[in-house]
Amino acid sequence: MADDALSGVNSMVSSLNASINNAVEAIKKSQSNQAVGDVKEYSKTVKKSALTTTSGATDIGVLAKNTTRLNVASTLAPNDKVDFYKFKVTSKGEMTMGQVGDDGLRVQLMNKLGRVVADSDPKAGDDYKAFKQLQAGNLTVDKGDYTLRVSRDKGQSDKDPKNYAMQLVMGNYSQDFDTVAKQPAKGDTGQQALTTGQQATLDGLNQAIGSMNSIPTGQTGTQKLMGSFSLFV
């Protein structure tokens, strides 16, 4: 079983190396969001809800223009179909989202009514155009509650774990909030059983991601996101 876990980790490292290279260009915009003064950093490690609905969304914080930057790192585990993250925007403005991780992930931004505002699926029409604006820092969003929905692209195997980190910012920032979202506790309602090899792989992944708390403050968006994966390579 240990060999199975090691093989799984090696496979994820290979995928991460390729996907990080592809993602760097998409998140370069976040480098223009500058740290202001002595940045205060806050970190938390939480367990995701076993509920696969927006009501079980993991809270990643409050996005305040020119004040806060929100970062989240996690894994879409084998047989898990979707992860949800919620956050609150305090004022209207242009939001930027940076992302690194495995290929084959679909990310959707939804408003408090559950309507999709931006969608990473190239076939999503105007919602895809909005997603490209979001990556470039040109998507204007209203004040209110929002949810990020993370799932696999159509055709991706549910058995393959998908690693990712995402970042949200509006303008500059002086406070950095990190959320490390781990898998639900074994036996939680709705959590599907994993093989011993899969669990060992995920346990190692979660332990490594947990070291994200030691990332120095004041980093650019690219440095911040890639830092959460540097322990794998």
Side-chain angles (χ1 to χ4, degrees):
M1 291 299 183
D3 290 340
D4 290 341
L6 180 59
S7 177
V9 171
N10 288 337
S11 177
M12 286 188 289
V13 169
S14 179
S15 296
L16 281 169
N17 282 332
S19 58
I20 286 175
N21 289 334
N22 292 335
V24 168
E25 288 302 317
I27 61 177
K28 278 186 176 179
K29 172 67 179 180
S30 62
Q31 293 190 27
S32 64
N33 302 110
Q34 299 295 320
V36 178
D38 185 13
V39 176
K40 296 180 180 179
E41 181 153 340
Y42 307 89
S43 301
K44 66 177 180 180
T45 299
V46 298
K47 288 184 178 180
K48 293 180 287 189
S49 170
L51 297 176
T52 55
T53 62
T54 54
S55 61
T58 300
D59 190 349
I60 60 173
V62 176
L63 187 59
K65 188 174 181 179
N66 294 323
T67 304
T68 62
R69 184 170 70 170
L70 308 181
N71 310 285
V72 58
S74 190
T75 304
L76 194 61
N79 299 318
D80 282 351
K81 295 185 180 298
V82 63
D83 286 341
F84 288 101
Y85 300 98
K86 62 182 179 180
F87 61 98
K88 182 183 293 291
V89 175
T90 60
S91 62
K92 184 175 181 178
E94 292 184 335
M95 182 164 66
T96 303
M97 190 187 81
Q99 176 189 351
V100 296
D102 286 327
D103 291 331
L105 277 174
R106 182 180 185 180
V107 179
Q108 295 167 294
L109 174 66
M110 302 185 297
N111 64 17
K112 64 179 179 181
L113 299 178
R115 186 181 72 80
V116 175
V117 177
D119 192 330
S120 66
D121 183 358
K123 297 181 180 179
D126 289 341
D127 290 338
Y128 178 65
K129 292 180 182 178
F131 185 80
K132 300 302 288 185
Q133 289 180 303
L134 178 61
Q135 289 183 311
N138 298 324
L139 182 67
T140 299
V141 298
D142 292 325
K143 173 183 177 181
D145 297 323
Y146 291 85
T147 303
L148 287 173
R149 183 182 190 275
V150 183
S151 60
R152 292 175 178 82
D153 283 334
K154 186 176 181 180
Q156 295 288 317
S157 173
D158 286 346
K159 295 182 180 180
D160 293 335
K162 296 291 185 181
N163 312 291
Y164 59 87
M166 295 181 293
Q167 180 180 89
L168 299 167
V169 67
M170 296 177 72
N172 299 323
Y173 64 96
S174 58
Q175 299 174 27
D176 224 4
F177 290 83
D178 298 336
T179 299
V180 178
K182 296 187 176 183
Q183 304 311 313
K186 189 174 182 180
D188 282 356
T189 302
Q191 173 72 359
Q192 302 206 23
L194 305 179
T195 66
T196 302
Q198 289 171 336
Q199 191 62 59
T201 299
L202 291 174
D203 287 346
L205 176 65
N206 285 329
Q207 183 177 3
I209 291 178
S211 296
M212 182 174 160
N213 293 353
S214 65
I215 297 173
T217 61
Q219 293 180 309
T220 65
T222 302
Q223 289 172 325
K224 185 75 173 184
L225 291 180
M226 292 186 69
S228 65
F229 289 110
S230 63
L231 296 169
F232 297 103
V233 296

